[in-house]
Amino acid sequence: MVTFQPLSIEHLDAIEEIEKKSFPTPWPRQTFEFEILYNDLAHYLVAVCEGRVAGYGGFWMVLDEAHVTNVAVHPTFRGRKIGRALMVALMQRAVALGADRMTLEVRPSNTIARNLYTSLGFSETYRRRGYYQDNNEDAIVMWNNCLTRTLKPRA
């Protein structure tokens, strides 16, 4: 079973490990500290499974839109639908804060993430050329323009 908690300073060792195992250019610890302590726009959750931080994700709430900043699952916990549950939890949190739209960037090479986002109602809108500095890969910008419809239980 997966539970969700707000990201706190106590989670940062686990977040650092997930970042390093998930991204070629991981965010430094200080960035997460700033997000937690000083960024009023930032909203982050950790996914806890088997007593460990299995993943985390976050977004910035800007007016009535949520912009996903990070989503990652520890390699040990991948393939268990934790990423999907985490995204749904983030979407629910955004709706609770007044958002009906959410956006994110994803690498074209990350087909697993792209498929997940598409299954959650996101559409590929355009590309940002050379967005990722580590290899100059483009970013695909995806939008979900009706979070409430996506989250509505299916009959």
Side-chain angles (χ1 to χ4, degrees):
M1 183 171 101
V2 178
T3 59
F4 299 97
Q5 302 172 10
L7 176 64
S8 69
I9 296 294
E10 292 77 29
H11 298 122
L12 290 184
D13 288 342
I15 298 306
E16 266 189 310
E17 180 184 354
I18 294 169
E19 275 282 303
K20 289 176 182 171
K21 291 178 183 272
S22 300
F23 302 111
T25 52
W27 278 16
R29 181 184 192 97
Q30 296 83 354
T31 300
F32 285 102
E33 289 173 355
F34 178 85
E35 292 289 280
I36 294 167
L37 298 172
Y38 303 109
N39 186 351
D40 293 336
L41 302 176
H43 302 272
Y44 287 83
L45 296 174
V46 293
V48 178
C49 182
E50 300 170 5
R52 291 181 52 199
V53 174
Y56 75 94
F59 63 88
W60 294 336
M61 187 71 182
V62 181
L63 300 175
D64 60 350
E65 297 176 355
H67 183 118
V68 175
T69 55
N70 312 65
V71 176
V73 174
H74 191 286
T76 303
F77 292 95
R78 291 181 187 159
R80 300 188 197 183
K81 301 199 182 293
I82 292 171
R84 169 177 287 282
L86 184 54
M87 276 300 299
V88 169
L90 291 172
M91 293 163 70
Q92 290 169 334
R93 177 80 175 125
V95 167
L97 292 169
D100 195 43
R101 294 168 32 102
M102 183 176 263
T103 187
L104 54 84
E105 294 91 11
V106 62
R107 291 174 187 263
S109 61
N110 193 345
T111 54
I112 292 171
R114 288 172 57 201
N115 290 338
L116 168 64
Y117 302 142
T118 299
S119 76
L120 291 171
F122 287 81
S123 299
E124 296 184 4
T125 310
Y126 57 93
R127 284 184 180 238
R128 289 196 170 120
R129 301 283 176 208
Y131 181 80
Y132 294 100
Q133 295 176 355
D134 62 306
N135 65 357
N136 208 36
E137 188 173 4
D138 294 349
I140 296 174
V141 178
M142 300 183 79
W143 279 92
N144 179 318
N145 289 309
C146 193
L147 292 173
T148 54
R149 184 173 54 229
T150 301
L151 295 171
K152 190 177 287 187
R154 295 184 181 144

